[in-house]
Amino acid sequence: IAVVGIGNLLLSDDGVGIHAVRGLRRDSRVGSMARLIDGGTIGTNLLAEVCGCERLLIVDAADAGLPPGQTIWMDFSGPDPQKIDTRNAHQSGIPGLLDDLRLLGMAPRQVILVGVQPAAMGLGTQLSPEVASALPVVSAEVVRQLDRWTSAADAANASETQGADSLEAALPGAARDTSGKEQPGERI
């Protein structure tokens, strides 16, 4: 799982994604659930950072015509992802990034955007009061989504383990190595 903050810190509210990722780095729960990435304005190096991740959560400013500071949750997964009109310079980079990942055969299974309606996109290094006050809501939504993803993964792993345990119990004399060390020819 990767959480990518997108934005330009020199364009006021456009930097909300980066501010959010910086705040999430201080949350001890998040570091154990996901890799946090400062995606900046989506350069080509971001492709290598997210290539092959199963789940991608993007935090960014998104103009959806809502009141400033309003948060938006969008699912970009599947063959017909949601679309949004955007007004900032790097937004065309998100669809382009996802297209590149698909072309490489490395697209995430699920891509979620947690966006914030910007109030100010001009030159400036401070978030508008409306967007700054939305940061706790954005962080909470990111943590909720990460909890959903990790809970689903934990449930899937428990189901696989339970199935393997049932199989071992059904096979008399079956033994397994519980040392956690990889055995020759075994893939973990």
Side-chain angles (χ1 to χ4, degrees), residues 11 19 26 33 47 50-51 57 73 79 88 99 104 111 114 125 130 132 134 143 146 153 163-164 166-167 176 181:
L11 294 177
H19 287 284
R26 294 187 292 272
M33 292 190 279
L47 183 63
V50 299
C51 198
L57 196 154
W73 185 94
N88 49 7
D99 287 343
L104 292 169
V111 180
V114 176
T125 57
E130 299 92 341
V143 170
L146 292 174
S166 298
L167 179 60
R176 66 180 167 149
K181 296 179 184 173

Side-chain angles (χ1 to χ4, degrees), residues 76-135:
F76 285 94
S77 308
D80 189 26
Q82 293 176 312
K83 302 206 183 321
I84 188 168
D85 289 331
T86 57
R87 65 177 178 185
N88 49 7
H90 64 268
Q91 281 288 337
S92 63
I94 292 174
L97 173 70
L98 298 177
D99 287 343
D100 290 346
L101 289 167
R102 282 186 202 99
L103 285 172
L104 292 169
M106 302 296 283
R109 284 190 308 126
Q110 193 166 16
V111 180
I112 300 294
L113 169 75
V114 176
V116 180
Q117 176 69 44
M121 297 292 281
L123 286 177
T125 57
Q126 300 295 315
L127 296 175
S128 67
E130 299 92 341
V131 171
S133 67
L135 281 175

Side-chain angles (χ1 to χ4, degrees), residues 57 72-73 114 136-146 148:
L57 196 154
I72 306 155
W73 185 94
V114 176
V137 176
V138 169
S139 294
E141 183 54 40
V142 168
V143 170
R144 269 193 297 279
Q145 183 61 49
L146 292 174
R148 285 190 285 268

Side-chain angles (χ1 to χ4, degrees), residues 43-69:
T44 54
N45 60 339
L46 184 57
L47 183 63
E49 290 283 338
V50 299
C51 198
C53 70
E54 284 203 31
R55 293 184 171 99
L56 176 62
L57 196 154
I58 300 168
V59 183
D60 195 8
D63 185 1
L66 298 170

